[in-house]
Amino acid sequence: MSKLFESIDLRQVTLPNRIVIAPMCEFSAQDGCASDWHMIHIGHLMLSGAGLMMIEATAVEPQGRITRECLGLYSDESEAALGRVIEVARKHSDMPVGVQLSHAGRKASTLAPWDGPGHVAPADGGWPVIGPSPLPFAEGWPVPEEMTRADMDRVLAAFEDAARRCVRLGVDVIELHGAHGYLVSSFLSPIANRRTDRYGGSLNNRMTFPLEVFEVLREAWPKDRPLGVRLNGTDWRDDGITPAEAVAFAQALARRSCDFFDVSSGGNGLGAKIPSGPGYQVPFATQVKEATGVPTMAVGLIRSPYHAEAIVATGQADMVAIGRGMLNDPRWPWHAAEILGHRIRVPPQYERAATQADIPSWGR
Ligand SMILES: Cc1cc2nc3c(=O)[nH]c(=O)nc-3n(C[C@H](O)[C@H](O)[C@H](O)COP(=O)(O)O)c2cc1C
């Protein structure tokens, strides 16, 4: 019996298996509004047989977008546009839907990857960026405005508003983006946070604003629905957050009823030495899972179904999130099921293609 294909309950939401489609920015929105691309992208991934579709980093205010083309959930128009995509996809899929709520902080207002790299100045449709301290991400990047308490209150209200929009859209799961050097992650990291007030310095101080964001979401999000956090297991730099600090942050979130962790790493500054390879972030997920007892997903270069199965079956993590593997092979869960001897439900229109057993080996 495959463990990867066992269901898992997160509050009242049941994921039919442990395969999560990792959040992936598409840089294809207009004024934060999901486009036809999202209809195709989310729609087809929701036919994949995964256990959860986690929609890309979705900005809670316009200045929180990474690029001008990023998805948002901060206006009635952006709510309606995402609502249309979810409604259509749900006509053909009962896969639970998650939204990753995000604020890009000092890494906002950049060019889309295929137009970049580079920052977009306010005169060109960009905007001034904000962060914990007036320290640019790297040379040539804009100096963020140090956030005042009023800025924090505005951002908290934006997270709350976005969570309420998720309620209206019938979203099943919210994941707070607390990784990769974006706003929440930058508050946690001593690389980006050099404040001398109660939001900087000790880990407890650096956690204060991130925990406030979580608490606002927990309050706005229905009790029957899971709220999780993507966090950095490490910044991969001596002057960044360490695995022990990541665990302490996760424990603080667990005490506030965080329902799952999604453990990633990096993105708080250049010069990180990342020993990237299959499952390179799994040990951080295992540490968080063991220290908190909260369901945890591992992510990062998990491509082989056997590897995914081993991670879940040996208890290194409870779920695996697959990013590029899903883009490369949108039927990854079908193929994993076939390899691991599990029968997966597929749309009736595709039933005749659900197994590769009838295809001669030369056709594979
Ligand atoms: C095109 C693309 C877009 C991404 N966008 C996001 C995002 O919106 N939020 C996030 O937390 N991570 C994002 N990531 C990181 C992925 O979620 C994932 O953590 C990373 O790609 C490693 O997993 P993989 O090796 O399975 O791709 C993105 C990755 C890719 C390739």
Side-chain angles (χ1 to χ4, degrees), residues 20-27 41 54-58 66 70 100 102 113-114 175-180 182 230 262-265 277 279-281 298-303 321-327:
V20 174
I21 301 169
M24 283 180 283
C25 286
E26 296 302 300
F27 311 103
H41 169 71
M54 187 66 76
I55 294 176
E56 68 194 80
T58 302
I66 304 169
C70 279
Q100 187 190 48
S102 171
W114 47 84
E175 177 177 272
L176 169 62
H177 196 344
H180 304 167
Y182 298 113
R230 174 169 271 204
D262 173 5
V263 186
S264 190
S265 70
Y280 68 107
Q281 296 175 142
V299 65
L301 289 176
I302 302 166
R303 290 296 278 263
I322 316 275
R324 289 162 291 181
M326 286 296 307
L327 298 185

Side-chain angles (χ1 to χ4, degrees), residues 266-281:
N268 257 311
L270 302 181
K273 291 179 208 72
I274 305 180
S276 157
Y280 68 107
Q281 296 175 142

Side-chain angles (χ1 to χ4, degrees), residues 66-80:
I66 304 169
T67 70
R68 292 166 293 188
E69 297 81 13
C70 279
L71 195 60
L73 202 43
Y74 48 67
S75 61
D76 292 346
E77 292 73 25
S78 57
E79 180 181 329

